[in-house]
Amino acid sequence: MAVFYFFVSFVPEFRSYEDQPDYAPTVTSSVLASAYALIYAAASSLAAWESGRLRRDGVWTLAPARHRLRVAADVLLPVILLAWLVTTVVVAMALIRQGIAPSLPSLVLPALAMTVSLAHAVIGFVVGLVAPRLIAAPLLAVGVFYAVAASWSYEPFWLRHVSGQFPVDLMYGELPTLRALVPHILFAGSIATGLVVLCALRSGTRQRIVLTALGCAIAVAGTVTAQRMTADWDFNPPLSTGHVPVRCVGTAPAVCAPEAMAGDLDVIQGEVRAALAQLNAAGVSTSDLTSVNDSSASGRHAPASTTQAWWFSLVNSHRSGTTPLAIVTHAVRFPCDEPDPVISRSAMLWAAVTADAEDFYLDWQQDEMRQYIDGESWLAEARDRVAEARRLPLPEQTEWFHAEMRRACAPTAEEDR
């Protein structure tokens, strides 16, 4: 079953990540996304079957030669080892297929799966003690599989963050935080621990009351704590980024990219410097800029660019030939959030012409303007304004540009046109 899942799910789905540099945590998170449900369902159902067998054979009524927890541990060991074997096999197959060596961070999610599968085995064992194994085993297999596999579609969102299935595929440079892992372990682990305490009941009335109360308290406290920890999370759990080596070249600004993507970094630095030099010569100042950074290792949450540090897909811009356009869009910053649609585009177009990015900017804007009724007329007006400005001497063009920047955010910007 694990091999079947690997080929029908992981192999086709992972093709979308094959344009990224090698990153072992992405591989392990992607392959486990299809395996969590299988691992937990197998652990819980097989454990229920084994405990039902003990109950059928009357093991619990025999004279105690070993503690009942020792008996349970001996029976659960093969089940747990099987769940761990499935985890290891699918991860190893994925890494071998991609030709990537495992790293310590890439083993975090397999360790999560192993830990939660242990809890599911304990829960299944206890269920098998109180329900016929012919009923308990198949119901747990189906119920656990569905509950875990469907957790990505659950709302409220906290349900997916305690399911034992890590709710996102890790992107390049991302790793799960400890805060993102704890709720999964706490939710299933507290239920399993509470059931273990309940199974340790003694014959004395006082002991029964104390252990019952303790077991219920552990289960309730753990599940409630896990829910409270994740109640305000959205679809994505807390993640940390930038976990790849980075190489930088030059200074003022330094140009930086992940080591695995830095083969053309010297060429990219030349493109960045050329575009900045053209803008600075035309009066578009970037004197505060200290670094231009590739955001590929920032996962789904790239840092916001500032006047000192710019973040964008630097290597991809180089490959598509749009580095000058990316420099323009970061260098030209309007002093308001919603500048006038015509005046702002005339300023941007002038800067794009200055940095030899005119064609890329116009192609981009022609696509963007399709969503506006007046988009074509706005862009045509901006082109006319720039054509008129380009007839001026360069010092006057610079003054015109800065005036456009101010007018774009002025309350009477529309009248100024």
Side-chain angles (χ1 to χ4, degrees), residues 212-233:
T212 299
L214 179 60
C216 292
I218 292 173
V220 171
T223 54
V224 170
T225 301
Q227 189 276 330
R228 294 290 179 86
M229 288 178 64
T230 58
D232 59 347
W233 294 2

Side-chain angles (χ1 to χ4, degrees), residues 331-352:
V332 180
R333 292 175 173 268
F334 295 93
C336 61
D337 294 330
E338 296 183 3
D340 180 85
V342 173
I343 299 177
S344 63
R345 283 173 173 80
S346 67
M348 288 291 294
L349 177 57
W350 179 86

Side-chain angles (χ1 to χ4, degrees), residues 25 28-29 31-32 36 39-40 84 87-88 91 95 104-117:
T28 56
S29 70
V31 72
L32 284 174
Y36 290 112
I39 295 166
Y40 303 155
W84 290 2
T87 306
T88 303
V91 168
L95 290 171
L104 189 60
S106 71
L107 302 180
V108 170
L109 292 183
L112 171 68
M114 290 180 174
T115 304
V116 177
S117 66

Side-chain angles (χ1 to χ4, degrees), residues 152-382:
W152 281 7
S153 63
Y154 291 163
E155 290 189 22
F157 288 144
W158 70 265
L159 290 169
R160 71 191 68 189
H161 297 298
V162 300
S163 67
Q165 176 173 255
F166 199 72
V168 295
D169 285 352
L170 296 176
M171 298 176 67
Y172 183 61
E174 285 184 338
L175 284 178
T177 62
L178 180 62
R179 183 165 165 249
L181 299 173
V182 167
H184 297 280
I185 299 172
L186 188 60
F187 189 82
S190 61
I191 296 174
T193 303
L195 292 175
V196 169
V197 173
L198 289 174
C199 288
L201 291 175
R202 297 291 187 267
S203 58
T205 302
R206 178 175 296 180
Q207 289 179 322
R208 284 179 176 273
I209 294 174
V210 171
L211 290 176
T212 299
L214 179 60
C216 292
I218 292 173
V220 171
T223 54
V224 170
T225 301
Q227 189 276 330
R228 294 290 179 86
M229 288 178 64
T230 58
D232 59 347
W233 294 2
D234 58 16
F235 182 87
N236 296 310
L239 301 169
S240 59
T241 60
H243 296 279
V244 294
V246 173
R247 184 162 74 90
C248 296
V249 296
T251 57
V255 179
C256 305
E259 186 70 43
M261 304 173 68
D264 294 330
L265 196 56
D266 291 331
V267 177
I268 296 173
Q269 182 200 23
E271 295 174 348
V272 170
R273 286 189 173 278
L276 290 174
Q278 289 172 311
L279 291 172
N280 291 335
V284 182
S285 176
T286 58
S287 58
D288 294 336
L289 182 63
T290 59
S291 66
V292 178
N293 307 277
D294 186 278
S295 60
S296 300
S298 302
R300 67 207 75 214
H301 299 298
S305 294
T306 65
T307 56
Q308 290 80 31
W310 295 352
W311 292 86
F312 59 94
S313 297
L314 181 59
V315 174
N316 288 335
S317 296
H318 163 68
R319 291 170 180 169
S320 63
T322 58
T323 301
L325 176 60
I327 296 299
V328 168
T329 58
H330 283 73
V332 180
R333 292 175 173 268
F334 295 93
C336 61
D337 294 330
E338 296 183 3
D340 180 85
V342 173
I343 299 177
S344 63
R345 283 173 173 80
S346 67
M348 288 291 294
L349 177 57
W350 179 86
V353 172
T354 300
D356 295 328
E358 177 182 6
D359 291 341
F360 288 113
Y361 179 76
L362 289 176
D363 289 344
W364 169 39
Q365 286 302 303
Q366 284 168 357
D367 288 338
E368 186 171 299
M369 289 298 97
R370 292 193 179 100
Q371 64 184 305
Y372 301 108
I373 297 176
D374 299 323
E376 290 187 11
S377 62
W378 288 349
L379 189 56
E381 186 178 346

